[in-house]
Amino acid sequence: MKRYLVVAISIIFFTGPPSIAQIEKSGSLFMYMSEIIESLPGAQGDHYIQPSQDDLMVWSEAISYLVQNDYTKCAEEAFKVNYQLIQFEDTVVNTVFFILEDEGVNFHGTYIYNPAFLLPTVIQSPHPRFDTNTGVQGIHVFLETASMFFCLPGTHRCNQPDLSSCSGTTSVCGPSGPYPISDVAHTVQSFFQETTDVLVRLMDQTVFISLHGFGKQPDDPYLIISNGTRDRPDPDFAYLLGENLVLEDPDLYYEMPHINLSWARLTGFTNTQGRLVNNSMDPCQSNAQYSSGRFIHLEQEKSRLRDDQSGWNKVARAIQNTFNGLSSVPQSEEKGTVSVYPNPAHDFIWFQSHDQVIEQIQIYNTIGQMVYSWPLTSSDGTPVIIPLDKLERGCYYVLYNGKSSVLLKL
């Protein structure tokens, strides 16, 4: 499996080193998730139970603890809403993932966090049982790109006949009318939407890629790429992704509603995750007017991109080529900034504080063991060299002042 390195620094906030999850499993994450996708309830059966507002508050806490690497508290909150937290060691890609898995009570979906992520991308497959192969395509792309997060719903989009109050209509589940509440791309009262909300707020460099499929009509392109609006942001990641997909498949042609302003089919404007990410004042009822640049809605004809692993790899490579080099140093809790370079590193890093006093640096591995600690003798902005030659290759957290953390790839 080919891996790409990303020159990126991501800040993750937590108050201490990560803890151990409540359940441990190992094997192939792709095969594990493929079995979950295959067993998802279908278009009938009313399995999906809409969460209450109290449930959503608990879930928000669980996701917040998860991306802050506090796995004990995440597991405690998840248990309250019939979820288990699984520490999953993928023996194929040699990476540890954390899975929030429904215990089969309310069918709210499966959510996976990669603490050793290389791309700040969130892969979402809202319709895995209706849009053929988008579920397995999603987990494959998530693994190939070393993305940060993967979101999968718990049932077919038509599983529950009760209707969403959000705007937009569909005929995919019967006569044209409102979307069912089990269609997580078109309701705001879901764990899928709440997860998106937490990731938007806590991880401010995340980009959400929503994988869909459609039946191609004679005048349709192979691909419709939307950012959820008619607005063109800078940078325009949706456009760059389209260009990179054409590099992978020169015969592929696409439309973009924010480039071709007359294009009106399958625009993704009513997608509630897109509305949320694009800062709609009311994601349930109102289309976003301006693009944040952080949402990409991919409507894919089946044969070229989602039919098999060859097409999935095209999407994965295009995402890698679009987001490789995406770098930022988000604001820390103290509103200060630091630089750690090079990242990825080899035998050493330079650590430099730009506008705050750093008294100590600690390095933890991904299971919470402190592997090195240094007191800083310089806090006047002068770079400090930190040796790494005794560390094994992998991912680590560089904590400074015991609070903010930089994800470091060796």
Side-chain angles (χ1 to χ4, degrees):
M1 180 177 293
K2 189 174 182 180
R3 281 287 177 231
Y4 291 72
L5 296 181
V6 181
V7 181
I9 299 174
S10 298
I11 301 293
I12 303 175
F13 305 127
F14 60 103
T15 57
S19 304
I20 303 299
Q22 62 180 152
I23 297 173
E24 295 184 9
K25 295 184 180 182
S26 64
S28 164
L29 182 59
F30 178 81
M31 295 304 299
Y32 186 82
M33 289 302 299
S34 295
E35 292 177 4
I36 288 178
I37 293 166
E38 182 66 25
S39 66
L40 292 177
Q44 298 178 343
D46 303 356
H47 300 82
Y48 179 80
I49 306 298
Q50 189 173 57
S52 67
Q53 290 300 321
D54 288 342
D55 291 338
L56 293 176
M57 291 177 63
V58 171
W59 185 252
S60 178
E61 288 293 305
I63 296 295
S64 298
Y65 285 130
L66 180 61
V67 296
Q68 293 175 58
N69 302 87
D70 192 334
Y71 304 126
T72 297
K73 289 184 179 178
C74 173
E76 291 172 355
E77 294 300 312
F79 179 77
K80 297 176 184 177
V81 287
N82 301 302
Y83 264 75
Q84 57 186 8
L85 179 63
I86 300 170
Q87 178 178 299
F88 193 101
E89 181 182 2
D90 190 317
T91 55
V92 178
V93 298
N94 296 318
T95 302
V96 174
F97 299 90
F98 291 88
I99 307 173
L100 279 168
E101 184 176 327
D102 194 329
E103 295 181 341
V105 177
N106 298 312
F107 298 92
H108 290 153
T110 306
Y111 303 86
I112 308 175
Y113 172 53
N114 176 9
F117 67 92
L118 296 181
L119 294 185
T121 39
V122 177
I123 308 300
Q124 299 184 320
S125 299
H127 304 142
R129 288 296 306 273
F130 185 83
D131 296 348
T132 304
N133 288 345
T134 55
V136 287
Q137 179 193 38
I139 189 63
H140 179 85
V141 169
F142 169 74
L143 291 168
E144 284 292 319
T145 58
S147 287
M148 188 191 76
F149 217 94
F150 177 66
C151 301
L152 182 81
T155 69
H156 190 287
R157 65 189 297 185
C158 303
N159 180 263
Q160 173 58 256
D162 292 344
L163 301 178
S164 169
S165 62
C166 297
S167 61
T169 59
T170 183
S171 58
V172 300
C173 299
S176 182
Y179 291 93
I181 60 171
S182 50
D183 188 337
V184 296
H186 297 281
T187 182
V188 294
Q189 195 169 333
S190 72
F191 281 12
F192 204 94
Q193 183 82 352
E194 195 68 25
T195 300
T196 304
D197 183 59
V198 173
L199 296 177
V200 167
R201 289 186 288 105
L202 292 189
M203 313 293 281
D204 67 358
Q205 297 300 311
T206 43
V207 178
F208 297 78
I209 301 175
S210 187
L211 300 176
H212 298 260
F214 73 102
K216 185 178 181 301
Q217 298 179 3
D219 294 333
D220 282 340
Y222 288 109
L223 183 66
I224 302 167
I225 309 176
S226 173
N227 65 26
T229 74
R230 296 285 187 191
D231 177 52
R232 185 167 188 179
D234 183 19
D236 188 348
F237 290 126
Y239 176 80
L240 294 173
L241 180 59
E243 292 298 286
N244 282 319
L245 281 166
V246 170
L247 291 177
E248 294 293 331
D249 184 349
D251 293 329
L252 187 73
Y253 66 96
Y254 60 84
E255 288 286 356
M256 289 188 175
H258 69 289
I259 302 295
N260 179 359
L261 300 183
S262 65
W263 186 264
R265 175 164 152 76
L266 300 173
T267 61
F269 292 172
T270 61
N271 183 289
T272 53
Q273 287 85 61
R275 287 173 168 179
L276 172 66
V277 176
N278 285 322
N279 303 308
S280 167
M281 295 297 292
D282 183 355
C284 186
Q285 294 294 332
S286 301
N287 291 349
Q289 298 302 307
Y290 301 100
S291 171
S292 66
R294 298 173 59 191
F295 178 74
I296 301 176
H297 186 276
L298 289 183
E299 285 283 359
Q300 309 164 92
E301 182 271 344
K302 185 175 182 238
S303 66
R304 304 202 76 86
L305 295 179
R306 61 184 171 95
D307 195 30
D308 54 31
Q309 186 170 315
S310 173
W312 308 344
N313 284 335
K314 293 176 186 177
V315 175
R317 287 192 296 265
I319 290 173
Q320 288 166 331
N321 291 331
T322 299
F323 296 101
N324 273 345
L326 177 63
S327 61
S328 67
V329 184
Q331 296 296 306
S332 75
E333 293 181 44
E334 293 81 16
K335 305 301 180 184
T337 55
V338 299
S339 294
V340 174
Y341 52 93
N343 188 12
H346 294 286
D347 295 327
F348 68 90
I349 56 171
W350 289 94
F351 186 98
Q352 183 179 17
S353 171
H354 300 294
D355 57 5
Q356 62 178 297
V357 175
I358 306 296
E359 298 176 349
Q360 188 177 47
I361 297 174
Q362 298 169 316
I363 296 184
Y364 288 86
N365 61 23
T366 56
I367 62 171
Q369 298 169 326
M370 187 174 70
V371 293
Y372 274 110
S373 177
W374 290 270
L376 272 192
T377 58
S378 174
S379 59
D380 58 0
T382 302
V384 176
I385 189 169
I386 299 175
L388 304 173
D389 55 297
K390 294 184 180 180
L391 298 185
E392 296 181 356
R393 299 305 178 200
C395 290
Y396 297 86
Y397 299 103
V398 182
L399 274 72
Y400 53 96
N401 289 347
K403 295 181 180 179
S404 296
S405 172
V406 175
L407 181 66
L408 174 69
K409 173 71 176 181
L410 294 182

Coordinates of all heavy atoms in Angstrom, one line a residue, residues 256-318:
M256 N -19.4 21.5 -12.2 CA -19.3 22.1 -10.9 C -20.3 23.3 -10.8 O -20.2 24.2 -11.6 CB -17.9 22.7 -10.6 CG -16.9 21.6 -10.4 SD -15.3 22.4 -9.9 CE -14.3 20.9 -9.6
P257 N -21.3 23.2 -9.9 CA -22.3 24.2 -9.8 C -21.7 25.6 -9.5 O -22.4 26.6 -9.8 CB -23.2 23.7 -8.7 CG -23.0 22.2 -8.7 CD -21.6 22.0 -9.0
H258 N -20.6 25.7 -8.9 CA -20.0 27.0 -8.6 C -19.1 27.5 -9.7 O -18.6 28.7 -9.6 CB -19.3 27.0 -7.2 CG -18.0 26.2 -7.2 ND1 -17.9 24.8 -7.3 CD2 -16.7 26.6 -7.2 CE1 -16.7 24.4 -7.3 NE2 -15.9 25.5 -7.2
I259 N -18.9 26.7 -10.7 CA -18.2 27.2 -11.9 C -19.2 27.4 -13.1 O -19.2 28.4 -13.7 CB -17.1 26.1 -12.3 CG1 -16.1 25.9 -11.2 CG2 -16.4 26.6 -13.6 CD1 -15.3 27.1 -10.8
N260 N -20.0 26.3 -13.3 CA -21.1 26.4 -14.3 C -22.3 26.8 -13.5 O -23.0 26.0 -13.0 CB -21.2 25.1 -15.0 CG -22.4 25.2 -16.1 OD1 -23.1 26.2 -16.2 ND2 -22.6 24.1 -16.7
L261 N -22.6 28.1 -13.5 CA -23.7 28.6 -12.6 C -25.1 28.2 -13.1 O -26.1 28.4 -12.4 CB -23.6 30.1 -12.5 CG -22.3 30.6 -11.9 CD1 -22.4 32.2 -11.7 CD2 -22.0 30.0 -10.5
S262 N -25.2 27.7 -14.3 CA -26.5 27.2 -14.8 C -26.7 25.7 -14.5 O -27.8 25.2 -14.7 CB -26.5 27.4 -16.3 OG -25.6 26.6 -17.0
W263 N -25.7 25.0 -14.0 CA -25.9 23.6 -13.6 C -26.8 23.5 -12.4 O -26.5 24.1 -11.4 CB -24.6 22.9 -13.4 CG -24.7 21.4 -13.2 CD1 -24.8 20.8 -12.0 CD2 -24.9 20.5 -14.3 NE1 -25.0 19.4 -12.3 CE2 -25.1 19.2 -13.6 CE3 -24.9 20.5 -15.7 CZ2 -25.3 18.0 -14.4 CZ3 -25.1 19.4 -16.4 CH2 -25.3 18.1 -15.7
A264 N -27.8 22.7 -12.5 CA -28.8 22.6 -11.4 C -29.1 21.2 -11.0 O -29.9 21.0 -10.0 CB -30.1 23.2 -11.9
R265 N -28.5 20.2 -11.5 CA -28.8 18.8 -11.1 C -27.8 18.2 -10.1 O -26.6 18.4 -10.3 CB -28.8 17.9 -12.4 CG -29.0 16.4 -12.2 CD -29.3 15.7 -13.5 NE -28.9 14.3 -13.5 CZ -29.5 13.3 -12.9 NH1 -30.6 13.6 -12.2 NH2 -29.1 12.1 -13.0
L266 N -28.3 17.7 -9.0 CA -27.5 17.0 -8.0 C -26.4 18.0 -7.5 O -25.2 17.6 -7.4 CB -26.9 15.7 -8.6 CG -27.8 14.7 -9.0 CD1 -27.1 13.5 -9.7 CD2 -28.7 14.2 -7.9
T267 N -26.8 19.1 -7.1 CA -25.9 20.1 -6.6 C -25.4 20.0 -5.2 O -24.4 20.6 -4.7 CB -26.5 21.5 -6.8 OG1 -27.7 21.6 -5.9 CG2 -26.9 21.8 -8.2
G268 N -26.2 19.2 -4.4 CA -25.8 19.0 -3.0 C -26.1 20.2 -2.1 O -25.7 20.3 -0.9
F269 N -26.9 21.1 -2.6 CA -27.2 22.4 -1.8 C -28.0 22.1 -0.5 O -27.9 22.8 0.4 CB -27.9 23.4 -2.7 CG -27.1 24.0 -3.8 CD1 -27.6 24.8 -4.7 CD2 -25.7 23.7 -3.9 CE1 -26.9 25.4 -5.7 CE2 -24.9 24.3 -4.9 CZ -25.5 25.1 -5.8
T270 N -28.8 21.0 -0.6 CA -29.7 20.7 0.6 C -29.0 19.8 1.6 O -29.6 19.4 2.6 CB -31.0 20.2 0.2 OG1 -30.8 19.0 -0.5 CG2 -31.8 21.2 -0.7
N271 N -27.8 19.4 1.3 CA -27.1 18.5 2.2 C -26.8 19.2 3.5 O -26.2 20.3 3.5 CB -25.7 18.1 1.6 CG -24.9 17.1 2.4 OD1 -24.4 17.5 3.5 ND2 -24.8 15.9 2.0
T272 N -27.3 18.7 4.6 CA -27.2 19.4 5.9 C -25.8 19.5 6.5 O -25.5 20.4 7.2 CB -28.2 18.8 6.9 OG1 -27.9 17.4 7.1 CG2 -29.6 19.1 6.6
Q273 N -25.0 18.5 6.1 CA -23.6 18.7 6.5 C -22.9 19.8 5.8 O -22.2 20.6 6.3 CB -22.8 17.4 6.3 CG -23.1 16.2 7.2 CD -24.3 15.4 6.8 OE1 -24.3 14.8 5.7 NE2 -25.4 15.4 7.6
G274 N -23.2 19.9 4.5 CA -22.6 21.0 3.7 C -23.1 22.3 4.1 O -22.3 23.3 4.2
R275 N -24.4 22.4 4.4 CA -24.9 23.7 5.0 C -24.2 24.1 6.3 O -23.9 25.3 6.5 CB -26.4 23.6 5.2 CG -27.3 23.5 3.9 CD -28.7 23.2 4.3 NE -29.6 23.5 3.1 CZ -30.9 23.3 3.2 NH1 -31.5 22.8 4.3 NH2 -31.7 23.5 2.1
L276 N -24.0 23.1 7.1 CA -23.4 23.4 8.4 C -21.9 23.8 8.2 O -21.5 24.9 8.8 CB -23.4 22.1 9.3 CG -22.6 22.2 10.6 CD1 -23.2 23.2 11.5 CD2 -22.5 20.8 11.2
V277 N -21.2 23.1 7.4 CA -19.8 23.4 7.2 C -19.6 24.8 6.5 O -18.7 25.5 6.7 CB -19.1 22.3 6.3 CG1 -17.6 22.7 6.0 CG2 -19.1 21.0 7.1
N278 N -20.6 25.1 5.7 CA -20.6 26.4 5.0 C -21.2 27.5 5.7 O -21.5 28.6 5.2 CB -21.2 26.2 3.6 CG -20.4 25.5 2.6 OD1 -19.2 25.7 2.6 ND2 -21.0 24.7 1.8
N279 N -21.5 27.3 7.0 CA -21.9 28.4 7.9 C -23.3 28.9 7.6 O -23.6 30.1 7.8 CB -20.9 29.5 7.9 CG -19.6 29.1 8.3 OD1 -19.4 28.4 9.4 ND2 -18.6 29.4 7.5
S280 N -24.2 28.0 7.2 CA -25.6 28.4 7.0 C -26.2 28.8 8.4 O -25.9 28.2 9.4 CB -26.5 27.3 6.4 OG -27.8 27.5 6.6
M281 N -27.0 29.8 8.4 CA -27.6 30.3 9.7 C -28.6 29.2 10.2 O -28.9 29.1 11.4 CB -28.3 31.6 9.5 CG -27.4 32.8 9.2 SD -26.2 33.1 10.5 CE -27.3 33.7 11.8
D282 N -29.2 28.4 9.3 CA -30.1 27.3 9.6 C -29.9 26.2 8.7 O -30.5 26.1 7.6 CB -31.5 27.9 9.5 CG -32.6 26.8 9.9 OD1 -32.2 25.7 10.2 OD2 -33.8 27.2 9.9
P283 N -29.0 25.2 9.1 CA -28.6 24.1 8.2 C -29.8 23.2 7.8 O -29.8 22.5 6.8 CB -27.6 23.3 9.0 CG -27.0 24.3 9.9 CD -28.1 25.3 10.3
C284 N -30.9 23.3 8.6 CA -32.1 22.5 8.3 C -32.9 23.1 7.2 O -33.4 22.4 6.3 CB -32.9 22.3 9.6 SG -34.3 21.2 9.4
Q285 N -33.0 24.4 7.1 CA -33.9 25.1 6.2 C -33.2 25.9 5.2 O -33.8 26.2 4.1 CB -34.8 25.9 7.0 CG -35.8 25.2 7.9 CD -36.8 24.3 7.2 OE1 -37.1 24.7 6.0 NE2 -37.2 23.2 7.8
S286 N -32.0 26.4 5.4 CA -31.4 27.4 4.5 C -30.1 26.9 3.8 O -29.2 26.5 4.5 CB -31.1 28.7 5.3 OG -32.3 29.2 5.9
N287 N -30.1 27.1 2.5 CA -28.9 26.8 1.7 C -27.9 27.9 2.1 O -28.2 29.0 2.4 CB -29.1 27.0 0.2 CG -30.0 25.8 -0.3 OD1 -30.3 24.9 0.3 ND2 -30.4 26.0 -1.6
A288 N -26.6 27.4 2.2 CA -25.5 28.4 2.5 C -25.3 29.3 1.3 O -25.4 28.9 0.1 CB -24.3 27.6 2.8
Q289 N -25.0 30.5 1.5 CA -24.7 31.5 0.4 C -23.3 31.5 0.0 O -22.9 31.9 -1.1 CB -25.2 32.9 0.9 CG -26.7 32.9 1.1 CD -27.5 32.5 -0.1 OE1 -27.3 33.0 -1.2 NE2 -28.4 31.6 0.1
Y290 N -22.4 31.3 1.0 CA -20.9 31.4 0.7 C -20.3 30.1 1.1 O -20.6 29.4 2.1 CB -20.3 32.6 1.5 CG -21.0 33.9 1.1 CD1 -22.0 34.4 1.9 CD2 -20.6 34.5 0.0 CE1 -22.6 35.6 1.6 CE2 -21.2 35.7 -0.4 CZ -22.2 36.3 0.4 OH -22.8 37.5 0.1
S291 N -19.2 29.7 0.4 CA -18.5 28.5 0.7 C -17.4 28.8 1.7 O -16.6 29.7 1.5 CB -17.9 27.9 -0.6 OG -17.0 26.9 -0.3
S292 N -17.2 27.9 2.7 CA -16.1 28.0 3.6 C -14.9 27.3 2.9 O -13.8 27.4 3.5 CB -16.4 27.2 4.9 OG -16.6 25.8 4.6
G293 N -15.0 26.6 1.8 CA -14.0 25.9 1.2 C -13.7 24.5 1.8 O -12.7 23.8 1.4
R294 N -14.5 24.1 2.8 CA -14.2 22.9 3.6 C -15.2 21.8 3.4 O -15.2 20.8 4.1 CB -14.2 23.3 5.1 CG -13.1 24.3 5.5 CD -13.3 24.7 6.9 NE -13.2 23.6 7.9 CZ -13.5 23.7 9.2 NH1 -13.9 24.8 9.7 NH2 -13.3 22.6 9.9
F295 N -16.0 21.9 2.3 CA -17.0 20.9 2.0 C -17.0 20.5 0.6 O -17.0 21.4 -0.3 CB -18.4 21.3 2.4 CG -19.5 20.3 2.1 CD1 -19.6 19.1 2.9 CD2 -20.3 20.5 1.0 CE1 -20.6 18.2 2.6 CE2 -21.3 19.5 0.7 CZ -21.4 18.4 1.5
I296 N -16.9 19.2 0.2 CA -16.9 18.8 -1.1 C -17.9 17.6 -1.3 O -17.8 16.6 -0.6 CB -15.5 18.3 -1.6 CG1 -14.5 19.4 -1.4 CG2 -15.5 17.8 -3.0 CD1 -13.0 19.0 -1.8
H297 N -18.8 17.8 -2.2 CA -19.9 16.8 -2.4 C -19.6 16.2 -3.8 O -19.6 16.8 -4.8 CB -21.2 17.6 -2.4 CG -22.5 16.7 -2.5 ND1 -23.0 16.3 -3.7 CD2 -23.3 16.3 -1.5 CE1 -24.1 15.6 -3.5 NE2 -24.3 15.6 -2.2
L298 N -19.3 14.9 -3.8 CA -19.0 14.1 -5.0 C -20.1 13.2 -5.4 O -20.4 12.2 -4.7 CB -17.7 13.3 -4.8 CG -16.4 14.0 -4.6 CD1 -15.3 12.9 -4.5 CD2 -16.1 14.9 -5.8
E299 N -20.8 13.6 -6.5 CA -21.8 12.7 -7.1 C -21.1 11.9 -8.2 O -20.7 12.5 -9.2 CB -23.0 13.5 -7.7 CG -23.9 14.0 -6.6 CD -24.9 13.0 -6.1 OE1 -24.8 11.8 -6.5 OE2 -25.7 13.3 -5.2
Q300 N -21.0 10.6 -8.1 CA -20.2 9.8 -9.0 C -21.0 8.8 -9.8 O -21.8 8.0 -9.2 CB -19.2 9.0 -8.2 CG -18.3 9.8 -7.2 CD -17.7 8.8 -6.2 OE1 -16.6 8.4 -6.3 NE2 -18.4 8.5 -5.1
E301 N -20.9 8.9 -11.1 CA -21.4 7.8 -11.9 C -20.6 6.5 -11.6 O -19.5 6.6 -11.2 CB -21.2 8.2 -13.4 CG -21.8 7.2 -14.4 CD -20.8 6.1 -14.8 OE1 -19.6 6.3 -14.5 OE2 -21.2 5.1 -15.3
K302 N -21.3 5.4 -11.7 CA -20.7 4.2 -11.1 C -19.5 3.6 -11.8 O -18.5 3.3 -11.1 CB -21.8 3.1 -11.1 CG -21.4 1.8 -10.4 CD -22.5 0.8 -10.3 CE -22.0 -0.4 -9.5 NZ -22.1 -1.6 -10.3
S303 N -19.4 3.6 -13.1 CA -18.4 2.8 -13.8 C -17.0 3.3 -13.6 O -16.1 2.5 -13.6 CB -18.8 2.6 -15.3 OG -18.7 3.9 -15.9
R304 N -16.8 4.6 -13.5 CA -15.5 5.1 -13.6 C -14.8 5.3 -12.2 O -13.5 5.2 -12.1 CB -15.4 6.5 -14.3 CG -16.0 6.4 -15.7 CD -15.6 7.5 -16.6 NE -14.2 7.3 -17.0 CZ -13.9 6.6 -18.1 NH1 -14.9 6.1 -18.8 NH2 -12.6 6.5 -18.5
L305 N -15.6 5.5 -11.2 CA -14.9 5.8 -9.9 C -15.4 4.9 -8.7 O -14.6 4.7 -7.8 CB -15.1 7.3 -9.5 CG -14.5 8.4 -10.4 CD1 -14.8 9.8 -9.9 CD2 -13.0 8.2 -10.5
R306 N -16.6 4.4 -8.7 CA -17.0 3.7 -7.5 C -17.4 2.2 -7.8 O -17.8 1.6 -6.9 CB -18.2 4.4 -6.9 CG -19.5 4.5 -7.8 CD -20.6 5.3 -7.0 NE -21.7 5.7 -7.9 CZ -22.8 4.9 -8.0 NH1 -23.0 3.9 -7.3 NH2 -23.7 5.3 -8.9
D307 N -17.1 1.8 -9.0 CA -17.4 0.4 -9.3 C -16.5 -0.6 -8.6 O -16.9 -1.7 -8.2 CB -17.4 0.2 -10.8 CG -18.1 -1.1 -11.2 OD1 -19.0 -1.5 -10.5 OD2 -17.7 -1.7 -12.3
D308 N -15.2 -0.3 -8.5 CA -14.2 -1.3 -7.9 C -13.0 -0.5 -7.4 O -13.0 0.7 -7.4 CB -13.8 -2.3 -9.0 CG -13.3 -1.6 -10.3 OD1 -12.7 -0.5 -10.2 OD2 -13.4 -2.2 -11.3
Q309 N -12.1 -1.3 -6.9 CA -10.9 -0.7 -6.2 C -10.1 0.2 -7.1 O -9.5 1.2 -6.7 CB -10.0 -1.8 -5.6 CG -8.9 -1.3 -4.8 CD -8.2 -2.4 -4.0 OE1 -8.9 -3.2 -3.4 NE2 -6.9 -2.4 -4.0
S310 N -10.1 -0.1 -8.4 CA -9.4 0.7 -9.4 C -9.9 2.2 -9.4 O -9.1 3.1 -9.3 CB -9.5 0.2 -10.8 OG -8.9 1.0 -11.8
G311 N -11.2 2.3 -9.4 CA -11.8 3.6 -9.3 C -11.6 4.3 -7.9 O -11.4 5.5 -7.8
W312 N -11.7 3.5 -6.9 CA -11.5 4.0 -5.5 C -10.1 4.6 -5.4 O -9.9 5.6 -4.7 CB -11.7 2.9 -4.5 CG -13.0 2.2 -4.6 CD1 -14.1 2.5 -5.3 CD2 -13.3 0.9 -4.0 NE1 -15.1 1.6 -5.2 CE2 -14.7 0.6 -4.3 CE3 -12.6 0.1 -3.1 CZ2 -15.3 -0.6 -3.9 CZ3 -13.2 -1.1 -2.7 CH2 -14.5 -1.4 -3.1
N313 N -9.1 3.9 -6.0 CA -7.8 4.4 -5.9 C -7.6 5.7 -6.6 O -6.8 6.5 -6.2 CB -6.8 3.3 -6.5 CG -6.6 2.2 -5.5 OD1 -6.7 2.3 -4.3 ND2 -6.2 1.0 -6.1
K314 N -8.3 5.9 -7.7 CA -8.3 7.2 -8.4 C -8.7 8.3 -7.5 O -8.1 9.4 -7.4 CB -9.2 7.2 -9.7 CG -8.7 6.2 -10.8 CD -9.7 6.2 -11.9 CE -9.4 5.2 -12.9 NZ -10.4 5.1 -14.0
V315 N -9.8 8.1 -6.8 CA -10.3 9.1 -5.8 C -9.3 9.3 -4.7 O -9.0 10.5 -4.3 CB -11.7 8.7 -5.3 CG1 -12.1 9.7 -4.2 CG2 -12.7 8.6 -6.4
A316 N -8.7 8.2 -4.2 CA -7.8 8.4 -3.1 C -6.5 9.2 -3.5 O -6.1 10.1 -2.8 CB -7.4 7.0 -2.6
R317 N -6.0 8.8 -4.7 CA -4.8 9.5 -5.2 C -5.1 11.0 -5.4 O -4.3 11.9 -5.2 CB -4.2 8.8 -6.4 CG -3.5 7.5 -6.1 CD -2.7 7.0 -7.3 NE -3.6 6.7 -8.4 CZ -4.1 5.5 -8.7 NH1 -3.8 4.5 -7.9 NH2 -4.8 5.3 -9.8
A318 N -6.3 11.3 -6.0 CA -6.6 12.7 -6.3 C -6.8 13.5 -5.0 O -6.4 14.6 -4.9 CB -7.9 12.7 -7.1

